[in-house]
Amino acid sequence: MSGKHLIENPTKADGAALWRIARDSKKLDLNTPYAYLLWCHDFADTSVVAKVDGTPVGFVIGYRKQDTGFVWQVAVDASQRGKGLAGALLDELFGQLTAQGVRYLETTITPDNEASIRLFASFAKRWDATVERQDLFSATDFPAEEGTHEQEDLYRIGPLSSQ
């Protein structure tokens, strides 16, 4: 895959590929394939997918709550990493959402996920916004039956305005 990235809102036809990209990341909490299909169907207007030659190679899935866009997951295929694609996906999505009144972005990140922390810090810098971090979910909030899960810190970026 060497073509140019096309970034657009996903369709349900993209769901299976998004699941595979998330699975292959080996970093994200993997949801069921059904969840990715449902996300592409019900939350397409608050999510974006990058494609090369018609094949999904990265995505941001999220939802809107009042004036805040919440990023659920960001993933980029290994073949496309290091090319600025995750940042381009975030910029495209929040360019769309600020036009709809979204002024803040939120996401959760585990403390050891330095790549995501850098991604969102860089996003805030590009959008001339501040970043606030606070504890959200401790490791003990997650069910013990699922094994250990690191704490998730809430990152809030804003205020954002159209660029």
Side-chain angles (χ1 to χ4, degrees):
M1 284 184 227
S2 59
K4 183 172 171 45
H5 295 119
L6 169 67
I7 299 176
E8 60 189 12
N9 298 101
T11 67
K12 73 175 184 176
D14 298 319
L18 271 57
W19 177 82
R20 283 191 289 281
I21 293 167
R23 178 200 62 198
D24 294 349
S25 78
K26 307 224 186 298
K27 184 66 181 166
L28 295 175
D29 287 338
L30 186 62
N31 300 294
T32 67
Y34 173 77
Y36 292 92
L37 288 168
L38 194 61
W39 210 282
C40 290
H41 183 265
D42 289 351
F43 296 102
D45 63 339
T46 56
S47 302
V48 288
V49 61
K51 296 179 180 179
V52 173
D53 301 327
T55 301
V57 295
F59 67 86
V60 175
I61 54 176
Y63 60 88
R64 182 178 173 180
K65 51 183 189 170
Q66 292 134 12
D67 69 345
T68 301
F70 185 87
V71 172
W72 183 266
Q73 287 186 326
V74 177
V76 173
D77 185 79
S79 69
Q80 302 299 310
R81 291 187 194 137
K83 299 179 180 182
L85 183 55
L89 284 161
L90 281 176
D91 288 344
E92 174 64 28
L93 177 61
F94 284 92
Q96 292 177 24
L97 293 180
T98 56
Q100 300 172 29
V102 167
R103 295 183 29 96
Y104 296 90
L105 173 148
E106 290 182 346
T107 193
T108 62
I109 306 173
T110 57
D112 72 334
N113 192 338
E114 294 177 16
S116 286
I117 293 168
R118 282 192 309 272
L119 171 66
F120 285 94
S122 175
F123 172 84
K125 185 175 182 179
R126 282 193 308 279
W127 286 76
D128 194 28
T130 61
V131 179
E132 298 175 5
R133 189 210 64 80
Q134 67 184 49
D135 295 346
L136 183 61
F137 300 122
S138 72
T140 59
D141 289 331
F142 294 93
E145 297 83 17
E146 293 296 315
T148 58
H149 191 294
E150 287 189 79
Q151 77 180 46
E152 292 274 353
D153 297 331
L154 177 68
Y155 285 77
R156 183 171 171 86
I157 301 169
L160 301 167
S161 60
S162 296
Q163 290 190 336

